[in-house]
Structures are given as C-alpha cells and as structure tokens.
PDB file of all heavy atoms in Angstrom:
ATOM      1  N   TYR F   1     -97.720   8.624   1.567  1.00  0.00           N
ATOM      2  CA  TYR F   1     -97.567   9.467   0.378  1.00  0.00           C
ATOM      3  C   TYR F   1     -98.891   9.536  -0.366  1.00  0.00           C
ATOM      4  O   TYR F   1     -99.548   8.517  -0.571  1.00  0.00           O
ATOM      5  CB  TYR F   1     -96.495   8.894  -0.556  1.00  0.00           C
ATOM      6  CG  TYR F   1     -95.119   8.965   0.031  1.00  0.00           C
ATOM      7  CD1 TYR F   1     -94.596   7.899   0.753  1.00  0.00           C
ATOM      8  CD2 TYR F   1     -94.351  10.108  -0.108  1.00  0.00           C
ATOM      9  CE1 TYR F   1     -93.325   7.980   1.313  1.00  0.00           C
ATOM     10  CE2 TYR F   1     -93.086  10.192   0.445  1.00  0.00           C
ATOM     11  CZ  TYR F   1     -92.586   9.126   1.151  1.00  0.00           C
ATOM     12  OH  TYR F   1     -91.334   9.208   1.718  1.00  0.00           O
ATOM     13  N   PRO F   2     -99.300  10.753  -0.800  1.00  0.00           N
ATOM     14  CA  PRO F   2    -100.535  10.866  -1.590  1.00  0.00           C
ATOM     15  C   PRO F   2    -100.301  10.440  -3.039  1.00  0.00           C
ATOM     16  O   PRO F   2     -99.206  10.606  -3.576  1.00  0.00           O
ATOM     17  CB  PRO F   2    -100.862  12.355  -1.515  1.00  0.00           C
ATOM     18  CG  PRO F   2     -99.548  13.018  -1.311  1.00  0.00           C
ATOM     19  CD  PRO F   2     -98.710  12.050  -0.514  1.00  0.00           C
ATOM     20  N   LYS F   3    -101.358   9.866  -3.634  1.00  0.00           N
ATOM     21  CA  LYS F   3    -101.305   9.559  -5.061  1.00  0.00           C
ATOM     22  C   LYS F   3    -101.565  10.847  -5.826  1.00  0.00           C
ATOM     23  O   LYS F   3    -102.489  11.586  -5.515  1.00  0.00           O
ATOM     24  CB  LYS F   3    -102.361   8.523  -5.421  1.00  0.00           C
ATOM     25  CG  LYS F   3    -101.990   7.117  -5.010  1.00  0.00           C
ATOM     26  CD  LYS F   3    -103.068   6.138  -5.404  1.00  0.00           C
ATOM     27  CE  LYS F   3    -103.198   6.062  -6.902  1.00  0.00           C
ATOM     28  NZ  LYS F   3    -104.175   5.044  -7.324  1.00  0.00           N
ATOM     29  N   ILE F   4    -100.757  11.128  -6.816  1.00  0.00           N
ATOM     30  CA  ILE F   4    -100.878  12.363  -7.600  1.00  0.00           C
ATOM     31  C   ILE F   4    -102.237  12.455  -8.271  1.00  0.00           C
ATOM     32  O   ILE F   4    -102.849  13.515  -8.291  1.00  0.00           O
ATOM     33  CB  ILE F   4     -99.752  12.444  -8.656  1.00  0.00           C
ATOM     34  CG1 ILE F   4     -98.402  12.573  -7.959  1.00  0.00           C
ATOM     35  CG2 ILE F   4     -99.987  13.601  -9.609  1.00  0.00           C
ATOM     36  CD1 ILE F   4     -97.221  12.451  -8.879  1.00  0.00           C
ATOM     37  N   SER F   5    -102.747  11.353  -8.774  1.00  0.00           N
ATOM     38  CA  SER F   5    -104.016  11.377  -9.512  1.00  0.00           C
ATOM     39  C   SER F   5    -105.206  11.765  -8.641  1.00  0.00           C
ATOM     40  O   SER F   5    -106.257  12.129  -9.150  1.00  0.00           O
ATOM     41  CB  SER F   5    -104.278  10.012 -10.153  1.00  0.00           C
ATOM     42  OG  SER F   5    -104.341   9.016  -9.146  1.00  0.00           O
ATOM     43  N   THR F   6    -105.068  11.709  -7.312  1.00  0.00           N
ATOM     44  CA  THR F   6    -106.178  12.059  -6.434  1.00  0.00           C
ATOM     45  C   THR F   6    -105.975  13.402  -5.747  1.00  0.00           C
ATOM     46  O   THR F   6    -106.799  13.809  -4.940  1.00  0.00           O
ATOM     47  CB  THR F   6    -106.388  10.977  -5.353  1.00  0.00           C
ATOM     48  OG1 THR F   6    -105.217  10.893  -4.535  1.00  0.00           O
ATOM     49  CG2 THR F   6    -106.685   9.633  -5.979  1.00  0.00           C
ATOM     50  N   MET F   7    -104.884  14.110  -6.052  1.00  0.00           N
ATOM     51  CA  MET F   7    -104.642  15.415  -5.442  1.00  0.00           C
ATOM     52  C   MET F   7    -105.493  16.470  -6.131  1.00  0.00           C
ATOM     53  O   MET F   7    -105.632  16.465  -7.353  1.00  0.00           O
ATOM     54  CB  MET F   7    -103.157  15.775  -5.520  1.00  0.00           C
ATOM     55  CG  MET F   7    -102.299  14.885  -4.645  1.00  0.00           C
ATOM     56  SD  MET F   7    -100.555  15.255  -4.756  1.00  0.00           S
ATOM     57  CE  MET F   7    -100.499  16.841  -3.969  1.00  0.00           C
ATOM     58  N   PRO F   8    -106.096  17.390  -5.357  1.00  0.00           N
ATOM     59  CA  PRO F   8    -106.993  18.383  -5.951  1.00  0.00           C
ATOM     60  C   PRO F   8    -106.243  19.437  -6.772  1.00  0.00           C
ATOM     61  O   PRO F   8    -105.142  19.834  -6.437  1.00  0.00           O
ATOM     62  CB  PRO F   8    -107.656  19.022  -4.734  1.00  0.00           C
ATOM     63  CG  PRO F   8    -106.688  18.823  -3.625  1.00  0.00           C
ATOM     64  CD  PRO F   8    -105.974  17.529  -3.916  1.00  0.00           C
ATOM     65  N   ILE F   9    -106.881  19.845  -7.840  1.00  0.00           N
ATOM     66  CA  ILE F   9    -106.378  20.945  -8.665  1.00  0.00           C
ATOM     67  C   ILE F   9    -107.484  21.986  -8.724  1.00  0.00           C
ATOM     68  O   ILE F   9    -108.620  21.673  -9.048  1.00  0.00           O
ATOM     69  CB  ILE F   9    -106.026  20.459 -10.087  1.00  0.00           C
ATOM     70  CG1 ILE F   9    -104.916  19.420 -10.010  1.00  0.00           C
ATOM     71  CG2 ILE F   9    -105.638  21.621 -10.979  1.00  0.00           C
ATOM     72  CD1 ILE F   9    -104.597  18.767 -11.335  1.00  0.00           C
ATOM     73  N   GLY F  10    -107.146  23.207  -8.406  1.00  0.00           N
ATOM     74  CA  GLY F  10    -108.153  24.268  -8.426  1.00  0.00           C
ATOM     75  C   GLY F  10    -108.957  24.317  -7.140  1.00  0.00           C
ATOM     76  O   GLY F  10    -108.519  23.878  -6.098  1.00  0.00           O
ATOM     77  N   TRP F  11    -110.191  24.838  -7.249  1.00  0.00           N
ATOM     78  CA  TRP F  11    -111.047  25.023  -6.076  1.00  0.00           C
ATOM     79  C   TRP F  11    -111.832  23.749  -5.788  1.00  0.00           C
ATOM     80  O   TRP F  11    -112.209  23.020  -6.689  1.00  0.00           O
ATOM     81  CB  TRP F  11    -112.016  26.171  -6.315  1.00  0.00           C
ATOM     82  CG  TRP F  11    -111.305  27.468  -6.450  1.00  0.00           C
ATOM     83  CD1 TRP F  11    -110.956  28.110  -7.605  1.00  0.00           C
ATOM     84  CD2 TRP F  11    -110.811  28.278  -5.394  1.00  0.00           C
ATOM     85  NE1 TRP F  11    -110.285  29.265  -7.339  1.00  0.00           N
ATOM     86  CE2 TRP F  11    -110.179  29.395  -5.965  1.00  0.00           C
ATOM     87  CE3 TRP F  11    -110.832  28.171  -4.012  1.00  0.00           C
ATOM     88  CZ2 TRP F  11    -109.592  30.385  -5.218  1.00  0.00           C
ATOM     89  CZ3 TRP F  11    -110.246  29.169  -3.260  1.00  0.00           C
ATOM     90  CH2 TRP F  11    -109.634  30.264  -3.871  1.00  0.00           C
ATOM     91  N   PHE F  12    -112.071  23.514  -4.511  1.00  0.00           N
ATOM     92  CA  PHE F  12    -112.864  22.363  -4.110  1.00  0.00           C
ATOM     93  C   PHE F  12    -113.500  22.662  -2.754  1.00  0.00           C
ATOM     94  O   PHE F  12    -113.040  23.511  -2.020  1.00  0.00           O
ATOM     95  CB  PHE F  12    -112.005  21.094  -4.018  1.00  0.00           C
ATOM     96  CG  PHE F  12    -110.854  21.240  -3.061  1.00  0.00           C
ATOM     97  CD1 PHE F  12    -110.990  20.900  -1.722  1.00  0.00           C
ATOM     98  CD2 PHE F  12    -109.627  21.728  -3.498  1.00  0.00           C
ATOM     99  CE1 PHE F  12    -109.934  21.053  -0.841  1.00  0.00           C
ATOM    100  CE2 PHE F  12    -108.566  21.872  -2.621  1.00  0.00           C
ATOM    101  CZ  PHE F  12    -108.722  21.536  -1.288  1.00  0.00           C
ATOM    102  N   ARG F  13    -114.552  21.938  -2.452  1.00  0.00           N
ATOM    103  CA  ARG F  13    -115.170  22.048  -1.130  1.00  0.00           C
ATOM    104  C   ARG F  13    -114.516  21.034  -0.209  1.00  0.00           C
ATOM    105  O   ARG F  13    -114.170  19.920  -0.639  1.00  0.00           O
ATOM    106  CB  ARG F  13    -116.665  21.766  -1.221  1.00  0.00           C
ATOM    107  CG  ARG F  13    -117.421  22.833  -1.993  1.00  0.00           C
ATOM    108  CD  ARG F  13    -118.892  22.563  -1.912  1.00  0.00           C
ATOM    109  NE  ARG F  13    -119.161  21.147  -2.205  1.00  0.00           N
ATOM    110  CZ  ARG F  13    -120.132  20.708  -2.970  1.00  0.00           C
ATOM    111  NH1 ARG F  13    -120.933  21.552  -3.554  1.00  0.00           N
ATOM    112  NH2 ARG F  13    -120.310  19.429  -3.169  1.00  0.00           N
ATOM    113  N   ALA F  14    -114.360  21.383   1.055  1.00  0.00           N
ATOM    114  CA  ALA F  14    -113.668  20.515   2.011  1.00  0.00           C
ATOM    115  C   ALA F  14    -114.280  19.113   2.065  1.00  0.00           C
ATOM    116  O   ALA F  14    -113.579  18.123   2.171  1.00  0.00           O
ATOM    117  CB  ALA F  14    -113.657  21.145   3.393  1.00  0.00           C
ATOM    118  N   GLY F  15    -115.588  19.011   1.973  1.00  0.00           N
ATOM    119  CA  GLY F  15    -116.249  17.707   2.023  1.00  0.00           C
ATOM    120  C   GLY F  15    -115.981  16.845   0.807  1.00  0.00           C
ATOM    121  O   GLY F  15    -116.163  15.634   0.837  1.00  0.00           O
ATOM    122  N   ASP F  16    -115.554  17.477  -0.295  1.00  0.00           N
ATOM    123  CA  ASP F  16    -115.287  16.747  -1.540  1.00  0.00           C
ATOM    124  C   ASP F  16    -113.865  16.201  -1.619  1.00  0.00           C
ATOM    125  O   ASP F  16    -113.540  15.469  -2.542  1.00  0.00           O
ATOM    126  CB  ASP F  16    -115.508  17.662  -2.755  1.00  0.00           C
ATOM    127  CG  ASP F  16    -116.961  18.074  -2.889  1.00  0.00           C
ATOM    128  OD1 ASP F  16    -117.827  17.375  -2.325  1.00  0.00           O
ATOM    129  OD2 ASP F  16    -117.214  19.093  -3.539  1.00  0.00           O
ATOM    130  N   LEU F  17    -113.038  16.562  -0.659  1.00  0.00           N
ATOM    131  CA  LEU F  17    -111.625  16.209  -0.726  1.00  0.00           C
ATOM    132  C   LEU F  17    -111.392  14.776  -0.257  1.00  0.00           C
ATOM    133  O   LEU F  17    -111.604  14.447   0.898  1.00  0.00           O
ATOM    134  CB  LEU F  17    -110.811  17.181   0.125  1.00  0.00           C
ATOM    135  CG  LEU F  17    -109.296  17.022   0.102  1.00  0.00           C
ATOM    136  CD1 LEU F  17    -108.776  17.192  -1.318  1.00  0.00           C
ATOM    137  CD2 LEU F  17    -108.657  18.032   1.018  1.00  0.00           C
ATOM    138  N   ARG F  18    -110.970  13.928  -1.166  1.00  0.00           N
ATOM    139  CA  ARG F  18    -110.630  12.538  -0.847  1.00  0.00           C
ATOM    140  C   ARG F  18    -109.325  12.205  -1.551  1.00  0.00           C
ATOM    141  O   ARG F  18    -109.318  11.919  -2.734  1.00  0.00           O
ATOM    142  CB  ARG F  18    -111.733  11.601  -1.292  1.00  0.00           C
ATOM    143  CG  ARG F  18    -112.967  11.701  -0.436  1.00  0.00           C
ATOM    144  CD  ARG F  18    -114.072  10.787  -0.921  1.00  0.00           C
ATOM    145  NE  ARG F  18    -115.270  10.968  -0.146  1.00  0.00           N
ATOM    146  CZ  ARG F  18    -116.163  11.932  -0.340  1.00  0.00           C
ATOM    147  NH1 ARG F  18    -115.979  12.802  -1.311  1.00  0.00           N
ATOM    148  NH2 ARG F  18    -117.225  12.045   0.410  1.00  0.00           N
ATOM    149  N   ILE F  19    -108.245  12.261  -0.807  1.00  0.00           N
ATOM    150  CA  ILE F  19    -106.928  11.987  -1.378  1.00  0.00           C
ATOM    151  C   ILE F  19    -106.537  10.563  -1.015  1.00  0.00           C
ATOM    152  O   ILE F  19    -106.477  10.204   0.154  1.00  0.00           O
ATOM    153  CB  ILE F  19    -105.873  12.977  -0.866  1.00  0.00           C
ATOM    154  CG1 ILE F  19    -106.247  14.396  -1.299  1.00  0.00           C
ATOM    155  CG2 ILE F  19    -104.487  12.606  -1.379  1.00  0.00           C
ATOM    156  CD1 ILE F  19    -105.331  15.463  -0.769  1.00  0.00           C
ATOM    157  N   GLU F  20    -106.289   9.752  -2.019  1.00  0.00           N
ATOM    158  CA  GLU F  20    -105.861   8.378  -1.807  1.00  0.00           C
ATOM    159  C   GLU F  20    -104.381   8.376  -1.434  1.00  0.00           C
ATOM    160  O   GLU F  20    -103.587   9.108  -2.027  1.00  0.00           O
ATOM    161  CB  GLU F  20    -106.085   7.587  -3.095  1.00  0.00           C
ATOM    162  CG  GLU F  20    -106.218   6.117  -2.892  1.00  0.00           C
ATOM    163  CD  GLU F  20    -106.588   5.408  -4.188  1.00  0.00           C
ATOM    164  OE1 GLU F  20    -107.356   5.966  -4.986  1.00  0.00           O
ATOM    165  OE2 GLU F  20    -106.078   4.305  -4.385  1.00  0.00           O
ATOM    166  N   THR F  21    -104.012   7.568  -0.461  1.00  0.00           N
ATOM    167  CA  THR F  21    -102.620   7.515  -0.009  1.00  0.00           C
ATOM    168  C   THR F  21    -102.109   6.078   0.007  1.00  0.00           C
ATOM    169  O   THR F  21    -102.884   5.123  -0.044  1.00  0.00           O
ATOM    170  CB  THR F  21    -102.474   8.095   1.411  1.00  0.00           C
ATOM    171  OG1 THR F  21    -103.285   7.341   2.306  1.00  0.00           O
ATOM    172  CG2 THR F  21    -102.866   9.559   1.453  1.00  0.00           C
ATOM    173  N   ARG F  22    -100.797   5.958   0.087  1.00  0.00           N
ATOM    174  CA  ARG F  22    -100.134   4.662   0.238  1.00  0.00           C
ATOM    175  C   ARG F  22     -99.163   4.768   1.401  1.00  0.00           C
ATOM    176  O   ARG F  22     -98.511   5.793   1.587  1.00  0.00           O
ATOM    177  CB  ARG F  22     -99.359   4.290  -1.031  1.00  0.00           C
ATOM    178  CG  ARG F  22    -100.228   4.049  -2.228  1.00  0.00           C
ATOM    179  CD  ARG F  22    -101.007   2.743  -2.060  1.00  0.00           C
ATOM    180  NE  ARG F  22    -101.822   2.473  -3.202  1.00  0.00           N
ATOM    181  CZ  ARG F  22    -103.117   2.739  -3.282  1.00  0.00           C
ATOM    182  NH1 ARG F  22    -103.734   3.320  -2.289  1.00  0.00           N
ATOM    183  NH2 ARG F  22    -103.809   2.430  -4.350  1.00  0.00           N
ATOM    184  N   HIS F  23     -99.044   3.697   2.173  1.00  0.00           N
ATOM    185  CA  HIS F  23     -98.143   3.645   3.318  1.00  0.00           C
ATOM    186  C   HIS F  23     -96.964   2.737   2.975  1.00  0.00           C
ATOM    187  O   HIS F  23     -97.161   1.623   2.495  1.00  0.00           O
ATOM    188  CB  HIS F  23     -98.866   3.106   4.551  1.00  0.00           C
ATOM    189  CG  HIS F  23    -100.079   3.896   4.901  1.00  0.00           C
ATOM    190  ND1 HIS F  23    -100.009   5.116   5.539  1.00  0.00           N
ATOM    191  CD2 HIS F  23    -101.391   3.668   4.674  1.00  0.00           C
ATOM    192  CE1 HIS F  23    -101.229   5.588   5.706  1.00  0.00           C
ATOM    193  NE2 HIS F  23    -102.086   4.735   5.178  1.00  0.00           N
ATOM    194  N   LEU F  24     -95.758   3.237   3.215  1.00  0.00           N
ATOM    195  CA  LEU F  24     -94.544   2.468   2.919  1.00  0.00           C
ATOM    196  C   LEU F  24     -93.648   2.445   4.148  1.00  0.00           C
ATOM    197  O   LEU F  24     -93.404   3.475   4.766  1.00  0.00           O
ATOM    198  CB  LEU F  24     -93.792   3.101   1.746  1.00  0.00           C
ATOM    199  CG  LEU F  24     -94.515   3.088   0.409  1.00  0.00           C
ATOM    200  CD1 LEU F  24     -93.812   3.984  -0.585  1.00  0.00           C
ATOM    201  CD2 LEU F  24     -94.580   1.677  -0.115  1.00  0.00           C
ATOM    202  N   PRO F  25     -93.125   1.258   4.504  1.00  0.00           N
ATOM    203  CA  PRO F  25     -92.251   1.155   5.669  1.00  0.00           C
ATOM    204  C   PRO F  25     -90.805   1.534   5.340  1.00  0.00           C
ATOM    205  O   PRO F  25     -90.322   1.302   4.240  1.00  0.00           O
ATOM    206  CB  PRO F  25     -92.340  -0.324   6.047  1.00  0.00           C
ATOM    207  CG  PRO F  25     -92.605  -1.016   4.744  1.00  0.00           C
ATOM    208  CD  PRO F  25     -93.439  -0.051   3.930  1.00  0.00           C
ATOM    209  N   VAL F  26     -90.145   2.112   6.335  1.00  0.00           N
ATOM    210  CA  VAL F  26     -88.713   2.383   6.244  1.00  0.00           C
ATOM    211  C   VAL F  26     -88.016   1.277   7.023  1.00  0.00           C
ATOM    212  O   VAL F  26     -88.448   0.917   8.123  1.00  0.00           O
ATOM    213  CB  VAL F  26     -88.359   3.763   6.845  1.00  0.00           C
ATOM    214  CG1 VAL F  26     -86.861   3.984   6.856  1.00  0.00           C
ATOM    215  CG2 VAL F  26     -89.063   4.858   6.066  1.00  0.00           C
TER     216      VAL F  26
END
C-alpha cells in the first residue's frame, strides 16, 4: 500500500516520483 503523504499531486517528472510503500501480510 502506498503512503498518502508520498503520493504525487499535480504534474511531476517520472524521475522525481518516489512513492513510499508498506507491505502487510494476509
């Protein structure tokens, strides 16, 4: 799951995209 605080808003360059995620087991 991505962290909301790291999701892009608006325009961005592909190289600038760094979305922090967390892994959770089922």
Side-chain angles (χ1 to χ4, degrees):
Y1 292 93
K3 284 180 65 176
I4 294 171
S5 60
T6 62
M7 292 178 69
I9 298 174
W11 295 98
F12 58 90
R13 292 186 313 223
D16 295 339
L17 184 60
R18 288 178 184 82
I19 298 176
E20 203 174 324
T21 60
R22 294 289 181 261
H23 303 283
L24 295 168
V26 175

